[in-house]
Amino acid sequence: MPTTRNQAQHPNRRAFLMSAGTLLATGTLAYSNALAQSAWPAKPIKLVIPFAPGGVTDTSGRIIAEYLGKRLGQQVVPDNRPGASGNIGSQVVASAEPDGYTLLFTTAGALAVAPAIAENMPYDPARDLLPVARALIMPEVLALHPSAGGGGLRSLQALIAYARANPRKLNYSTPGNATVPHLAAELFAQVAGIELVHVPYRGTGPAMQDLLAGHVQMMFVDVTVAQGPIRSGRLLGVVVGSPTRIASVPEVPTSAEAGLPGLLVSNWTGLLAPAAT
């Protein structure tokens, strides 16, 4: 049956109108999404800290959360998820919605060390997390309880001499396996030729509490955590793992000054988000 010119073009006009409607709807949706994104944050943000309360990561994370809350106009809520050397909390963020409302504040150990030694990592930091900012870099200091070795261990060389004469009689606490303090202590034992006993905890806070109580003898710890107890005399600062002395504990010698120039250890913390954020 013959058709007129207008009738022949009608299907094309219809397709055009349908396409235009689809484009208009898509554009409206994109504009709405852009408005929603520009309004971020529209609700409180959860800041996951994968360690127990009381440690330097927890303390600094809470300070940053308070500051961010003031800057963003929304509450930033710290959420402690300790365990597995930071992997439990990190996995929470790695599997969270990438909407900007779940962030991670964690350490080098959980991100760089654990994946190299764990048999079954629940997530891949390089694939599943997006680095946002590095927050802190802190030298590690070897803090010793005054009663260690019966007392009298006032220098790194005295500590090494005692440990060599008494293998595995000294123990040290850490925030957990594969953390930077753990690796620092193992490096110390290796370069000094001594044997120590590792006592892992679920965070810096519990590890420091037992060190202060004398239940363990020593600990490599961020200088920001150790400086108070060292100043008050509750702990002895034996050595700091940095090339230069630290102003907050100026009496503590560097590793080179103490006779172990290879003992250079620092820790860092950073802010991350789910990878697709």
Side-chain angles (χ1 to χ4, degrees), residues 52-164:
V56 65
T57 309
D58 175 65
T59 303
S60 54
R62 289 176 182 276
I63 293 172
I64 289 174
E66 181 180 3
Y67 175 78
L68 283 177
K70 293 177 180 177
R71 287 293 302 270
L72 297 174
Q74 280 287 349
Q75 187 178 13
V76 179
V77 184
D79 182 11
N80 293 91
R81 299 289 186 97
S85 301
N87 282 338
I88 291 177
S90 299
Q91 185 184 11
V92 168
V93 178
S95 58
E97 287 293 325
D99 55 8
Y101 291 101
T102 303
L103 302 176
L104 175 68
F105 188 76
T106 191
T107 65
L111 296 173
V113 181
I117 66 172
E119 293 183 0
N120 297 301
M121 277 290 291
Y123 71 102
D124 182 345
R127 180 194 65 209
D128 300 328
L129 291 171
L130 173 71
V132 176
R134 188 172 60 185
L136 302 168
I137 303 176
M138 298 157 290
E140 296 291 294
V141 60
L142 176 54
L144 185 72
H145 193 272
S147 67
L153 303 182
R154 294 293 187 270
S155 69
L156 183 65
Q157 294 305 320
L159 173 61
I160 292 173
Y162 177 87
R164 286 175 178 170

Side-chain angles (χ1 to χ4, degrees), residues 12-256:
N12 292 334
R13 291 202 306 271
R14 183 178 181 184
F16 171 77
L17 290 173
M18 290 180 64
S19 299
T22 301
L23 288 171
L24 179 61
T26 303
T28 302
L29 179 60
Y31 179 68
S32 298
N33 287 339
L35 284 177
Q37 291 175 3
S38 65
W40 180 91
K43 61 181 181 180
I45 299 167
K46 179 168 66 177
L47 182 64
V48 176
I49 303 171
F51 297 100
V56 65
T57 309
D58 175 65
T59 303
S60 54
R62 289 176 182 276
I63 293 172
I64 289 174
E66 181 180 3
Y67 175 78
L68 283 177
K70 293 177 180 177
R71 287 293 302 270
L72 297 174
Q74 280 287 349
Q75 187 178 13
V76 179
V77 184
D79 182 11
N80 293 91
R81 299 289 186 97
S85 301
N87 282 338
I88 291 177
S90 299
Q91 185 184 11
V92 168
V93 178
S95 58
E97 287 293 325
D99 55 8
Y101 291 101
T102 303
L103 302 176
L104 175 68
F105 188 76
T106 191
T107 65
L111 296 173
V113 181
I117 66 172
E119 293 183 0
N120 297 301
M121 277 290 291
Y123 71 102
D124 182 345
R127 180 194 65 209
D128 300 328
L129 291 171
L130 173 71
V132 176
R134 188 172 60 185
L136 302 168
I137 303 176
M138 298 157 290
E140 296 291 294
V141 60
L142 176 54
L144 185 72
H145 193 272
S147 67
L153 303 182
R154 294 293 187 270
S155 69
L156 183 65
Q157 294 305 320
L159 173 61
I160 292 173
Y162 177 87
R164 286 175 178 170
N166 300 274
R168 299 184 64 82
K169 287 291 181 68
L170 292 175
N171 55 34
Y172 66 93
S173 60
T174 71
N177 291 311
T179 56
V180 168
H182 180 200
L183 295 186
E186 290 300 318
L187 175 63
F188 170 51
Q190 184 180 57
V191 298
I194 58 178
E195 294 183 56
L196 304 170
V197 177
H198 179 209
V199 184
Y201 289 78
R202 291 176 57 127
T204 301
M208 273 295 289
Q209 288 174 7
D210 270 11
L211 175 61
L212 289 168
H215 301 314
V216 291
Q217 282 86 54
M218 69 179 76
M219 178 182 180
F220 274 91
V221 62
D222 297 341
V223 67
T224 52
V225 176
Q227 61 191 18
I230 290 175
R231 288 173 187 163
S232 66
R234 299 177 67 191
L235 294 176
L236 301 173
V238 178
V239 66
V240 62
S242 61
T244 58
R245 293 200 182 202
I246 304 300
S248 59
V249 284
E251 72 278 11
V252 181
T254 67
S255 55

